[in-house]
Amino acid sequence: MDVRLSDAEKVFIIHGVQEGLRNDGRSCGDYRPMYVERGVLATTDGSSRVRIGGTDLLCGVKCELVECEDSSKETNRLEFSVDCSANASPQFIGRGGDAYAEELSDALHFAYDNERSIPDLAKLTLSPNHFWRLYVDIVILQYGGAIIDAAAVAAKAALFDTEIVEVVTRQADEKKMTIDLPQGHLTWKLDVKSAPLISSITKIGSTNVVDVTLGEETCSFAALWVGGSVQKAGTEPLVTMTRQAGGGSLDAASINDMIQMGVNAVGRLDAKLMERLAAEETTIPGQTFLA
Amino acid sequence: RNMATLAGIRVDISSPPSSAAPAALELSGDRDNASDQFVIPGNAVSTTTGFMRGHGTFTRDGELIATLAGSVQQVNRLITVKPVKSRYNGEVGDVVVGRVVDVQQKRWKVDTSSRLDSSLLLSSVNLPGGELRRKSVEDELMMRDYLKEGDLISAEVQQVQHDGSLQLHTRNLKYGKLAQGISVQVPSYLIKRRKAHFHSLPCGAAVVIGCNGHVWIAPELREDADGGYNQDLEEVISLETRSIMARLSGCVRLLAAHCVAIYDTTIMAAFELSANHKASDLLNAAVATEIASLVVRKIRAEATEEEL
């Protein structure tokens, strides 16, 4: 967004994408190598750090026990918030990142806002008066393109990492319930296998591209964010969100192709992420990525 | 249906490399630790007296103390500390690659990754139609037609101002506006100053290695009489050349990531040693470290050969 390129450089990038060879040797469907760690913040219930190319972001999940009049009426079990550090990119200085941050958290909220994404969500309701609310907070430490893809990966990895305290409900006065800690410290985990991931498909010239770098981003006018949830391993993801980004307009005819590419990308991302999450060593309590 | 849509998606998710790229190269044993004396701010640079205080040092109780983190350099009795990391410090005669950020009265402001923007005076550029002509008012009005914000140029440092800002000139056919290509930004302290900074490489592409850490990779070197101001934006670079350029950009990036000096020899060595890998695989940390350590080994072998 903040990089400036000369006309000739842009032409070079656009022609390259058309030929299927980008400036770093990738083809249009290639992601840069992504690094995912979880359990990186000791002060959260679940956390992750995702790096892809120049992009670097951190995600933490905090569980809060909420008391209310009627928990069936309260719907937002997951709260997403995104913060754009001013160190990440000059465009985020002052309040510059607020609009973009809201766009990101909104997209995440929308992608998760259905019964298919996390079927386990009902478990977060403890009693007619109590439920768990999970705050998913993402900080963008460095801006290097493909932020929404990385943010969704970070959110899913952090939720996978999240351990929620086991509690018991007890009858109290006036038909109310109270919450108590049982003997021993027990925790449980949400099943996030089908939590959605998001892929941003960017239109450069007349070609669709995944995982754009900053330079490529300046050559494009429009992008489509496609969120998908993999219901069963190996099957095509279910589209839970589509959103247009990047300011420009898209031809209706090209949107179908972009969604299809997004679905493919989400499917591949999800398979690789689940592989990585399953293989990763269990976290050491008290260890952070700072140490 | 669109080709790209059907093309496969490649994703690679892994744990981060266990050590940062420069450290990984150090661990491979291919690079010896420098013999220079390194100091951090507050360290005593020299305990013996009788030395002159240079840049990066101050005296406290008659003792010379470092104010920078870097290597200690001595010229006769003058002791300086050369910082490990710094922004680009220009010297007269340096070849730089910079981006125009502003068009002002009779000058362009150019970002050369220096502390201050450099300036390129209208009077120190070659304009189309003869080298030695006076710049008229019309030329001044047409400045944005020649170079506008965002354009990349190659230039030479003509003068270093008192405040450290640079004055550039492009009064040579090899300098001027750059056309299609890839620019790679690396730390300026990794660039080795050489006699030539414009290279037509044997692999079929060209590089301009700016001393300011801006490496320009182009299909060929151009010496247009019009300073490159007339560009053909319709021209399509062949896929073959493009893949060579993509590989070169990957090589420059991996050399920079591993703190290997960047000049024509190392770039060509990395290019040749990476032949077994796809250009996109150079993004992979393990592959990059492997190639960087091969390059360092090769350069050192050549250096010892020369000694013998």
Side-chain angles (χ1 to χ4, degrees):
Chain A
M1 275 185 206
D2 201 64
V3 275
R4 273 206 136 119
L5 293 182
S6 68
D7 295 343
E9 279 174 284
K10 285 185 185 170
V11 165
F12 187 82
I13 290 175
I14 293 168
H15 285 168
V17 166
Q18 257 161 20
E19 303 248 359
L21 182 72
R22 303 206 243 163
N23 279 0
D24 47 10
R26 289 183 292 152
S27 62
C28 298
D30 288 357
Y31 274 84
R32 292 168 284 183
M34 196 186 279
Y35 301 131
V36 176
E37 297 162 273
R38 63 186 171 88
V40 290
L41 294 168
T43 51
T44 58
D45 296 306
S47 58
S48 67
R49 184 189 187 192
V50 173
R51 278 175 279 178
I52 176 164
T55 295
D56 191 344
L57 42 84
L58 207 55
C59 178
V61 176
K62 279 275 208 181
C63 307
E64 189 187 58
L65 190 63
V66 184
E67 214 170 324
C68 61
E69 279 300 312
D70 186 356
S71 58
S72 62
K73 280 184 187 153
E74 305 272 342
T75 47
N76 47 342
R77 297 288 186 268
L78 293 175
E79 284 268 0
F80 292 93
S81 80
V82 178
D83 180 47
C84 300
S85 159
N87 293 323
S89 166
Q91 64 183 322
F92 297 148
I93 289 171
R95 304 182 63 83
D98 289 3
Y100 186 62
E102 203 176 311
E103 206 180 334
L104 291 170
S105 56
D106 210 41
L108 282 168
H109 173 80
F110 204 73
Y112 274 86
D113 192 20
N114 56 69
E115 296 91 63
R116 300 285 196 91
S117 288
I118 300 187
D120 249 10
L121 225 50
K123 280 197 197 169
L124 293 175
T125 309
L126 299 169
S127 78
N129 310 114
H130 297 92
F131 66 91
W132 284 112
R133 183 179 282 155
L134 307 189
Y135 289 95
V136 183
D137 301 319
I138 296 172
V139 187
I140 298 172
L141 300 173
Q142 217 183 101
Y143 187 96
I147 290 284
I148 187 69
D149 309 48
V153 166
K156 184 163 182 170
L159 284 170
F160 181 91
D161 189 51
T162 302
E163 291 187 54
I164 304 167
V165 181
E166 198 84 64
V167 291
V168 287
T169 49
R170 260 193 260 278
Q171 202 70 41
D173 318 335
E174 297 169 29
K175 289 182 188 169
K176 294 244 169 160
M177 307 289 272
T178 58
I179 298 287
D180 256 332
L181 275 175
Q183 287 293 328
H185 185 72
L186 294 170
T187 57
W188 59 284
K189 281 191 169 192
L190 270 179
D191 176 20
V192 294
K193 268 197 227 60
S194 51
L197 288 181
I198 301 173
S199 162
S200 57
I201 307 297
T202 309
K203 195 121 210 139
I204 297 177
S206 56
T207 318
N208 303 329
V209 179
V210 299
D211 184 20
V212 288
T213 59
L214 288 179
E216 287 165 344
E217 209 174 69
T218 52
C219 301
S220 81
F221 295 105
L224 195 71
W225 292 355
V226 181
S229 147
V230 177
Q231 296 292 303
K232 205 167 138 249
T235 59
E236 196 166 78
L238 189 80
V239 175
T240 61
M241 185 229 31
T242 53
R243 196 153 280 211
Q244 202 188 323
S249 55
L250 284 168
D251 182 10
S254 67
I255 289 180
N256 256 337
D257 275 352
M258 293 174 89
I259 291 180
Q260 187 55 50
M261 192 181 191
V263 166
N264 291 350
V266 166
R268 192 53 69 86
L269 269 175
D270 194 80
K272 290 284 179 181
L273 179 64
M274 290 320 287
E275 219 173 273
R276 165 82 187 122
L277 290 177
E280 196 178 9
E281 59 296 339
T282 46
T283 54
I284 304 159
Q287 191 199 29
T288 79
F289 79 102
L290 297 164
Chain B
R1 206 183 255 173
N2 199 321
M3 269 282 293
T5 312
L6 294 174
I9 306 281
R10 274 210 313 168
V11 180
D12 173 33
I13 299 182
S14 63
S15 58
S18 52
S19 49
L25 188 58
E26 216 95 315
L27 286 175
S28 71
D30 285 325
R31 177 150 64 185
D32 54 350
N33 292 316
S35 49
D36 284 0
Q37 186 200 343
F38 281 99
V39 288
I40 56 168
N43 276 170
V45 174
S46 160
T47 41
T48 47
T49 49
F51 286 113
M52 274 156 64
R53 181 170 55 90
H55 281 299
T57 60
F58 74 105
T59 41
R60 186 177 62 195
D61 308 330
E63 199 183 23
L64 218 52
I65 312 279
T67 59
L68 295 168
S71 65
V72 179
Q73 314 249 309
Q74 185 177 356
V75 181
N76 297 329
R77 280 176 57 236
L78 179 72
I79 285 200
T80 55
V81 175
K82 195 176 167 224
V84 190
K85 270 186 176 178
S86 69
R87 290 191 74 83
Y88 169 60
N89 281 316
E91 284 171 26
V92 174
D94 277 357
V95 172
V96 295
V97 173
R99 203 179 286 282
V100 175
V101 288
D102 201 6
V103 184
Q104 298 179 345
Q105 283 262 310
K106 291 182 188 165
R107 77 194 65 207
W108 290 275
K109 281 287 172 196
V110 184
D111 176 17
T112 50
S113 328
S114 189
R115 275 197 310 270
L116 298 159
D117 281 342
S118 311
S119 57
L120 174 68
L121 293 183
L122 180 62
S123 56
S124 43
V125 299
N126 278 346
L127 290 180
E131 283 183 51
L132 297 163
R133 74 178 168 98
R134 277 182 67 94
K135 304 294 188 300
S136 59
V137 184
E138 281 82 63
D139 286 325
E140 223 179 301
L141 292 171
M142 288 196 25
M143 274 176 69
R144 200 172 254 111
D145 293 356
Y146 299 129
L147 288 173
K148 65 170 188 292
E149 291 88 346
D151 282 349
L152 262 188
I153 56 159
S154 64
E156 190 179 299
V157 177
Q158 188 168 37
Q159 217 180 81
V160 182
Q161 241 70 306
H162 287 298
D163 59 356
S165 69
L166 308 176
Q167 210 178 88
L168 310 175
H169 80 90
T170 61
R171 279 200 170 276
N172 188 320
L173 290 184
K174 61 184 181 183
Y175 301 132
K177 189 168 164 182
L178 296 167
Q180 291 194 44
I182 307 173
S183 78
V184 183
Q185 179 84 58
V186 301
S188 63
Y189 48 84
L190 291 178
I191 304 290
K192 192 164 176 170
R193 285 195 171 92
R194 316 224 78 199
K195 260 190 198 142
H197 281 261
F198 288 73
H199 302 281
S200 265
L201 297 177
C203 57
V207 288
V208 180
I209 306 169
C211 293
N212 58 339
H214 228 116
V215 181
W216 176 249
I217 300 162
E220 64 202 343
L221 289 183
R222 292 192 176 170
E223 294 212 353
D224 300 335
D226 63 0
Y229 298 116
N230 299 315
Q231 294 182 337
D232 178 14
L233 293 180
E234 300 294 310
E235 185 193 0
V236 180
I237 312 292
S238 75
L239 193 59
E240 194 190 346
T241 314
R242 208 175 268 282
S243 65
I244 294 169
M245 291 165 67
R247 183 178 293 275
L248 280 173
S249 79
C251 289
V252 173
R253 266 188 219 113
L254 78 87
L255 291 174
H258 291 83
C259 293
V260 180
I262 289 166
Y263 53 107
D264 52 333
T265 318
T266 50
I267 293 176
M268 257 336 274
F271 184 86
E272 280 157 14
L273 292 166
S274 71
N276 297 334
H277 297 280
K278 280 198 292 181
S280 57
D281 287 343
L282 302 184
L283 293 166
N284 184 302
V287 174
T289 303
E290 179 199 324
I291 292 166
S293 87
L294 285 175
V295 170
V296 172
R297 206 178 297 167
K298 187 178 174 194
I299 299 292
R300 288 183 65 192
E302 278 167 14
T304 43
E305 229 169 76
E306 264 171 40
E307 272 173 34
L308 300 171

